[in-house]
Amino acid sequence: MTSAPKRLSYQARILVVPLGASGHSLVEAMAAGSLTNIRIVTDAGQSAASVRDIHDAAGNEITETVADLAASADMMILLGSDLPQVPAHFVANVAGAARANGVLLAGVLVDQRNWEDDEGADAMAVLRRELDMLVSVREVGLAMAFIDVLKGGRRKSEADLAATEASAATASTEESTGRGAS
């Protein structure tokens, strides 16, 4: 009998789509922070998208179809702050591919700006129509924490896991030893 490997945790495959220059600035801030295991997707035209790891430099992207990217993801998060920068056509394209593949589509607006002008109101209408979830937070750190939660939380390194297990084993031994003593 073969036993399946024990999965200690689940980590969602997340694609982040920056919405204009404000979205790219937020991605840079998140990359400088501690956000990992996220792929960044930008419009490459003609139903194509450029994709790279959050820590890869610009210019290291590969091009894939939006449909293929959506099929490889659990969740797509559209990220921005300045609503008139929202590329409505790309949002609709990404949303269609996500729906076709059963991918959760979320939006995170950080300190949202210009939502009251005509372009911003139109962009907000597109986001509300296309997204499964829309969250507004005050600062990039909150957006990073939110994305980490959606991803499945932070991962400990192998050394951290070994230290935690050793500490738990020591505590268990000390507890067992202490029970018999009066």
Side-chain angles (χ1 to χ4, degrees):
M1 176 165 50
T2 307
S3 66
K6 189 175 182 180
R7 190 168 189 185
L8 298 176
S9 63
Y10 173 78
Q11 184 167 358
R13 297 167 299 175
I14 294 182
L15 300 174
V16 172
V17 180
L19 299 174
S22 68
H24 286 287
S25 293
L26 292 167
V27 165
E28 288 173 14
M30 289 178 176
S34 56
L35 193 61
T36 60
N37 299 320
I38 301 291
R39 295 187 313 155
I40 308 303
V41 176
T42 54
D43 188 0
Q46 308 263 331
S47 296
S50 298
V51 62
R52 66 177 174 85
D53 181 83
I54 190 168
H55 293 289
D56 285 349
N60 290 330
E61 300 91 356
I62 60 170
T63 302
E64 293 187 37
T65 67
V66 173
D68 286 345
L69 282 171
S72 72
D74 296 311
M75 181 180 302
M76 297 176 103
I77 300 173
L78 285 66
L79 178 69
S81 63
D82 196 1
L83 287 169
Q85 295 177 358
V86 171
H89 68 283
F90 191 56
V91 169
N93 191 5
V94 165
R99 276 191 296 279
N101 287 285
V103 173
L104 180 65
L105 194 59
V108 178
L109 299 175
V110 179
D111 190 27
Q112 64 187 1
R113 296 185 303 265
N114 301 317
W115 56 271
E116 64 282 337
D117 66 24
D118 289 342
E119 287 178 322
D122 290 345
M124 183 61 84
V126 167
L127 293 173
R128 285 183 176 158
R129 180 181 67 241
E130 300 291 354
L131 301 177
D132 299 316
M133 170 185 0
L134 183 59
V135 176
S136 179
V137 295
R138 291 183 310 262
E139 59 187 45
V140 70
L142 294 171
M144 278 182 25
F146 180 71
I147 292 171
D148 261 339
V149 166
L150 294 175
K151 183 175 66 170
R154 303 241 170 186
R155 299 293 180 266
K156 291 184 176 184
S157 69
E158 293 294 324
D160 289 341
L161 288 173
T164 300
E165 288 173 5
S167 176
T170 301
S172 177
T173 302
E174 290 172 357
E175 183 180 315
S176 296
T177 305
R179 284 188 194 152
S182 323

